C-alpha cells in the first residue's frame, strides 16, 4: 500500500534530516580529548546524523554513475556508427572501407569509388576478356604457366624467346549461336561457327601462357538515328567481319582487363596486343575521323600511358617492358595531325603494308621512328617476317577441295615459315649458343610471326576455323592420339604438335620460332600446344 511520506522526511531517504546540526568541536578541542573518550564522543556524534542516509546516498551515487557510463558508451557508439558507417570494424582492419560485414547483417559494399568504377569496367568487359576470378590459382604448376616470362633474365630479347604463343581473333571465344541471336543487329543467316576461332577467354589464355592477342575493332553507333543521339553514341567494340561480338564490351574495357592483370598476376610478363581495324563490318562503315579520334583518345589516357610500352620500336629486352603491353597497330590514322600520330605508341603494322592471304612477307614496323629526322639517327630498320595464309586458294582441285587438301595447303605454309624462323634464329645465335642469348655485335634477325589459323567457309564442304585447326568433327572420336597425346588426326594443330615434339635436325623441339598465332589452342584430349611451344610440357 502506498504511504505518503511523513512531514520532515524526504521520499528518497528513510531518516529525517534535523533542522540544523549542533556546533561541532574545533580540531584543537578534539585533539585535546582523551583516547578513552573518543569512542563515546564518535558514537554520540554519529547519533546526531540520520542512521540510513549513508547507504541511500551511496546507492544513488552508484546507480547514477552506472547510468552515466552506459549513456556515455551508447552515445559514442552511435557517433562512431554515423561517422564511419560500420560500427563493427576492428582495429586490425587496414581501413574502415575494407571491413567485412557480420554474417547476420546484410553485406554492404565498402569499396572506394575508384574500385567500384574498375569493377564496372571489368564486368562490362567479361563477354570479350572473360570474368576475373575471386583469386587466381596459386599452385606451382599454374604459376609456371601464368608467369613463364617472370623467371627469365631481364636481358633476354623478345626476338630470342623460344616462342611466344598467340591466339588469332581472340575476342571470338564467346561467339555462339546463342550470342549471335542475342544481338539483333547480327546477320542471323550466317553460322556462328564461321566466325568463332577460340573456346578459351582472353584471361584464361593469359593464365595458360598466351602472350600475343589478335583483336579486331570497329565502331558501333547506338544512336536511334545513326547520329549517336538517343543512345550511348559511337563506341569502339569488337567484330569479326560482319559479326558483332558484343554490344557491351568496348575496346577500352578490354584494355583495362589487360591493365588489371599486368598490375598483379602478370607484373613480370610482357603482352603483345595486335589491334586491327576490321573492315567490312556494316554497310557504309569506314575508318572515319571520328573513329580515329576515339581510338587515339583511349590509347593516350593516363592508364594507357602507364601500361602501353611508349615506343614505335620493339622493346630490346624483357626488362624494358615487364608489366606492359607492346601494341601492334594494324590501323591507320590518316585524318589526324602528324604530331598526334607520332604521339601514339606502338609498332606500325599498317594495313597498306600487310598483303592479304600471303604465305610470307616482310615489313619494316618502326617507320615512324625512322621518319623523325635527327631523332632517328643510329636507329635501324626493324623487320617483321609474317605468314598469314588464312584461306587456301591454290588447291589442286581448284577453289573447292576436300578437308585434307585445305589443311595440307595451310600446313605447308605454316611449316615452311616455322622452319625459316628456326633457321634464322640458329644462324644469328651461332652453334652452341644458348637460346635467348645475343652478342653485342649480333644483327637482330627480326620479329617472326606465323599464323597457324585458317578457314575456307565458302568451300564445299565448309572449312570452318575449328575444322582447319582440329579436323572434321567425325574424325575426332575414337582416333588414337599422336606422339603421346594431342588432338585428333586431320587438323593443323595435330601436325604442329607433332613437329614441336620432334627432336633432331628435322624437328623443331627447343628451337626459336617467334610468335605462333593459333586457333583453338586448347585442343582436345591430352595435347598441350602451349606447353610444347614453351618447353613446359615435360
Amino acid at each position: 500500500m502506498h504511504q505518503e511520506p511523513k512531514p520532515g522526511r524526504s521520499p528518497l531517504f528513510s531518516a529525517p534530516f534535523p533542522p540544523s546540526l549542533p556546533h561541532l568541536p574545533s580540531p584543537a578541542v578534539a585533539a585535546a580529548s582523551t583516547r578513552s573518550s573518543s569512542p563515546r564522543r564518535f558514537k554520540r556524534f554519529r547519533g546526531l546524523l540520520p542512521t540510513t542516509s549513508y547507504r541511500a546516498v551511496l546507492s544513488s551515487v552508484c546507480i547514477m554513475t552506472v547510468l552515466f557510463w552506459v549513456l556515455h558508451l551508447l552515445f559514442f557508439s552511435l557517433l562512431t556508427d554515423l561517422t564511419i558507417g560500420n560500427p563493427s570494424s576492428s582495429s586490425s582492419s587496414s581501413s574502415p572501407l575494407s571491413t567485412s560485414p557480420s554474417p547476420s547483417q546484410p553485406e554492404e559494399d565498402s569499396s572506394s569509388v575508384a574500385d567500384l568504377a574498375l569493377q564496372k569496367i571489368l564486368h562490362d568487359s567479361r563477354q570479350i576478356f572473360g570474368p576475373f576470378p575471386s583469386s587466381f590459382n596459386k599452385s606451382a604448376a599454374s604459376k609456371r604457366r601464368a608467369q613463364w616470362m617472370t623467371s627469365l633474365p631481364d636481358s633476354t630479347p623478345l626476338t630470342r624467346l623460344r616462342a611466344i604463343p598467340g591466339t588469332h581473333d581472340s575476342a571470338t571465344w564467346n561467339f555462339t549461336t546463342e550470342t549471335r541471336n542475342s544481338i539483333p543487329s547480327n546477320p542471323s543467316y550466317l553460322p556462328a561457327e564461321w566466325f568463332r576461332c577460340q573456346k578459351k577467354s582472353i584471361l584464361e589464355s593469359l593464365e595458360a601462357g598466351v602472350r600475343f592477342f589478335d583483336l579486331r575493332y570497329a565502331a558501333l553507333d547506338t544512336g536511334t538515328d545513326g547520329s549517336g543521339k538517343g543512345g550511348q553514341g559511337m563506341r569502339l567494340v569488337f567484330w569479326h567481319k560482319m559479326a558483332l561480338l558484343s554490344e557491351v564490351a568496348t575496346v577500352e574495357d578490354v584494355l583495362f582487363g589487360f591493365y588489371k592483370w599486368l598490375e598483379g598476376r602478370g607484373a613480370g610478363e610482357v603482352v603483345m596486343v595486335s589491334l586491327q581495324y576490321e573492315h567490312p563490318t556494316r554497310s557504309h562503315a569506314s575508318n572515319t575521323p571520328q573513329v580515329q579520334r576515339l581510338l587515339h583518345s583511349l590509347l593516350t589516357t593516363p592508364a594507357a600511358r602507364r601500361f602501353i610500352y611508349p615506343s614505335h620500336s620493339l622493346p630490346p629486352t624483357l626488362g624494358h617492358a615487364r608489366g606492359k603491353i607492346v601494341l601492334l597497330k594494324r590501323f591507320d590514322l590518316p585524318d589526324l595531325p602528324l604530331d598526334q600520330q607520332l604521339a601514339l605508341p606502338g609498332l606500325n603494322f599498317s594495313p597498306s603494308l600487310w598483303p592479304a592471304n600471303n604465305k610470307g612477307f616482310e615489313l619494316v614496323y618502326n617507320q615512324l621512328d625512322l621518319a623523325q629526322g635527327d631523332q632517328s639517327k643510329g636507329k635501324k630498320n626493324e623487320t617483321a617476317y609474317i605468314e598469314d595464309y588464312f584461306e587456301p586458294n591454290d588447291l589442286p582441285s581448284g577453289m573447292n577441295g576436300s578437308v585434307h587438301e585445305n589443311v595440307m595447303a595451310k600446313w605447308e605454309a605454316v611449316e615452311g615459315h616455322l622452319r625459316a624462323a628456326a633457321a634464322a634464329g640458329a644462324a644469328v645465335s651461332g652453334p652452341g649458343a644458348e637460346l635467348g642469348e645475343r652478342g653485342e655485335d649480333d644483327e637482330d634477325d627480326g620479329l617472326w610471326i606465323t599464323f597457324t589459323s585458317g578457314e575456307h567457309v565458302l568451300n564445299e564442304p565448309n572449312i570452318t576455323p575449328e575444322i582447319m585447326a582440329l579436323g572434321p568433327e567425325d574424325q575426332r572420336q575414337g582416333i588414337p592420339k599422336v606422339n603421346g597425346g594431342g588432338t585428333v588426326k586431320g587438323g593443323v594443330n595435330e601436325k604442329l604438335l607433332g613437329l614441336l615434339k620432334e627432336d633432331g635436325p628435322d624437328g623443331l623441339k627447343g628451337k626459336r620460332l617467334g610468335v605462333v598465332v593459333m586457333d583453338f589452342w586448347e585442343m582436345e584430349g591430352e595435347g598441350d600446344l602451349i606447353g610444347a611451344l614453351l618447353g613446359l610440357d615435360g
Side-chain angles (χ1 to χ4, degrees):
M1 175 181 292
H2 174 70
Q3 294 182 355
E4 293 292 333
K6 296 180 181 180
R9 287 180 177 262
S10 168
L12 296 178
F13 303 100
S14 57
F17 279 106
S20 63
L21 292 177
H23 177 70
L24 296 178
S26 68
V29 175
S33 302
T34 61
R35 296 179 57 89
S36 60
S37 63
S38 294
R40 184 178 39 157
R41 286 177 176 274
F42 177 73
K43 187 173 183 180
R44 179 181 170 187
F45 167 71
R46 189 181 60 180
L48 298 175
L49 295 174
T51 56
T52 59
S53 62
Y54 287 111
R55 297 187 186 92
V57 169
L58 289 175
S59 298
S60 299
V61 169
C62 290
I63 292 172
M64 294 179 68
T65 301
V66 171
L67 288 173
F68 170 81
W69 282 109
V70 169
L71 292 173
H72 176 82
L73 293 174
L74 288 175
F75 172 79
F76 280 98
S77 176
L78 179 62
L79 180 64
T80 302
D81 188 21
L82 292 174
T83 56
I84 296 180
N86 190 353
S88 62
S89 59
S90 63
S91 60
S92 62
S93 300
S94 59
S95 166
L97 295 177
S98 64
T99 54
S100 299
S102 169
S104 61
Q105 299 292 331
E107 185 174 352
E108 296 181 3
D109 194 337
S110 57
S111 302
S112 67
V113 173
D115 288 339
L116 292 173
L118 180 60
Q119 289 173 22
K120 180 187 182 302
I121 291 172
L122 297 180
H123 181 272
D124 290 345
S125 76
R126 291 185 307 169
Q127 293 179 1
I128 300 297
F129 192 80
F132 267 87
S134 56
S135 63
F136 288 105
N137 191 329
K138 296 181 175 60
S139 68
S142 177
K143 286 185 176 181
R144 192 177 178 215
R145 293 297 183 93
Q147 300 172 333
W148 65 269
M149 286 181 169
T150 304
S151 60
L152 299 177
D154 282 347
S155 59
T156 306
L158 268 70
T159 56
R160 298 302 177 82
L161 295 171
R162 179 195 299 259
I164 299 177
T167 54
H168 160 255
D169 259 307
S170 312
T172 62
W173 68 277
N174 195 34
F175 192 73
T176 62
T177 301
E178 181 180 2
T179 305
R180 180 201 65 190
N181 294 341
S182 69
I183 303 175
S185 58
N186 269 325
S188 59
Y189 58 88
L190 294 177
E193 56 267 24
W194 283 22
F195 304 97
R196 191 179 190 186
C197 301
Q198 307 295 332
K199 289 185 179 178
K200 296 294 185 180
S201 71
I202 293 175
L203 182 58
E204 288 174 313
S205 297
L206 280 168
E207 286 290 295
V210 173
R211 293 296 176 268
F212 179 99
F213 295 88
D214 169 35
L215 298 171
R216 320 288 178 94
Y217 77 93
L220 174 66
D221 193 340
T222 56
T224 56
D225 57 0
S227 64
K229 298 178 180 178
Q232 297 182 28
M234 184 176 287
R235 297 175 294 147
L236 299 184
V237 296
F238 295 94
W239 303 73
H240 184 189
K241 299 301 182 184
M242 67 285 298
L244 175 59
L245 305 179
S246 171
E247 289 184 312
V248 177
T250 66
V251 172
E252 188 169 30
D253 293 337
V254 171
L255 285 175
F256 265 94
F258 282 111
Y259 302 159
K260 173 66 174 176
W261 189 83
L262 286 167
E263 185 180 46
R265 179 80 152 181
E269 306 294 295
V270 178
V271 175
M272 305 179 76
V273 174
S274 172
L275 200 55
Q276 175 182 348
Y277 177 74
E278 187 73 325
H279 181 77
T281 54
R282 290 286 186 269
S283 298
H284 311 298
S286 64
N287 188 24
T288 64
Q290 184 179 1
V291 172
Q292 296 172 41
R293 287 192 295 270
L294 278 173
L295 182 66
H296 182 274
S297 66
L298 66 89
L299 292 177
T300 53
T301 62
R305 294 182 187 278
R306 174 180 171 184
F307 287 101
I308 296 178
Y309 182 69
S311 174
H312 300 132
S313 298
L314 196 69
T317 65
L318 281 175
H320 285 81
R322 292 194 190 275
K324 295 191 180 298
I325 291 172
V326 176
L327 181 65
L328 280 66
K329 299 183 295 186
R330 291 187 65 182
F331 56 82
D332 291 324
L333 304 175
D335 296 304
L336 298 188
L338 181 60
D339 61 336
Q340 292 188 23
Q341 297 184 46
L342 293 175
L344 203 63
L347 317 184
N348 183 27
F349 285 79
S350 169
S352 63
L353 303 175
W354 191 297
N357 205 32
N358 199 287
K359 294 182 180 180
F361 63 95
E362 59 186 71
L363 61 81
V364 176
Y365 56 78
N366 66 331
Q367 303 99 326
L368 291 179
D369 271 352
L370 298 175
Q372 295 187 61
D374 294 339
Q375 298 182 28
S376 66
K377 289 182 178 179
K379 295 185 178 180
K380 301 178 181 180
N381 288 352
E382 295 185 4
T383 306
Y385 303 89
I386 303 168
E387 175 275 319
D388 189 19
Y389 185 55
F390 57 84
E391 185 176 84
N393 57 8
D394 56 354
L395 302 173
S397 56
M399 286 303 295
N400 284 327
S402 66
V403 173
H404 177 73
E405 287 176 332
N406 278 272
V407 169
M408 289 308 300
K410 173 62 184 177
W411 173 245
E412 288 173 7
V414 169
E415 182 182 12
H417 202 257
L418 288 175
R419 290 192 182 280
V428 174
S429 297
E434 290 295 328
L435 193 67
E437 290 186 350
R438 181 171 68 190
E440 293 182 358
D441 299 327
D442 282 349
E443 288 291 332
D444 191 348
D445 61 323
L447 176 64
W448 290 76
I449 305 175
T450 303
F451 284 82
T452 69
S453 53
E455 51 79 21
H456 200 171
V457 294
L458 298 182
N459 185 80
E460 183 60 44
N462 303 137
I463 311 296
T464 65
E466 185 172 2
I467 290 176
M468 184 70 82
L470 305 178
E473 188 172 0
D474 58 0
Q475 295 183 26
R476 301 180 207 169
Q477 307 297 329
I479 303 294
K481 305 303 178 185
V482 296
N483 295 318
T487 188
V488 297
K489 291 182 178 294
V492 171
N493 287 4
E494 171 222 354
K495 301 181 185 303
L496 175 60
L497 182 65
L499 194 60
L500 294 174
K501 288 178 172 291
E502 185 178 343
D503 211 343
D506 294 332
L508 295 182
K509 184 176 182 179
K511 297 180 180 178
R512 197 291 305 269
L513 302 177
V515 180
V516 181
V517 190
M518 302 168 286
D519 280 347
F520 300 99
W521 59 262
E522 76 285 356
M523 303 173 57
E524 294 179 1
E526 301 174 358
D528 186 3
L529 270 176
I530 294 178
L533 283 168
L534 299 177
L536 300 177
D537 57 341

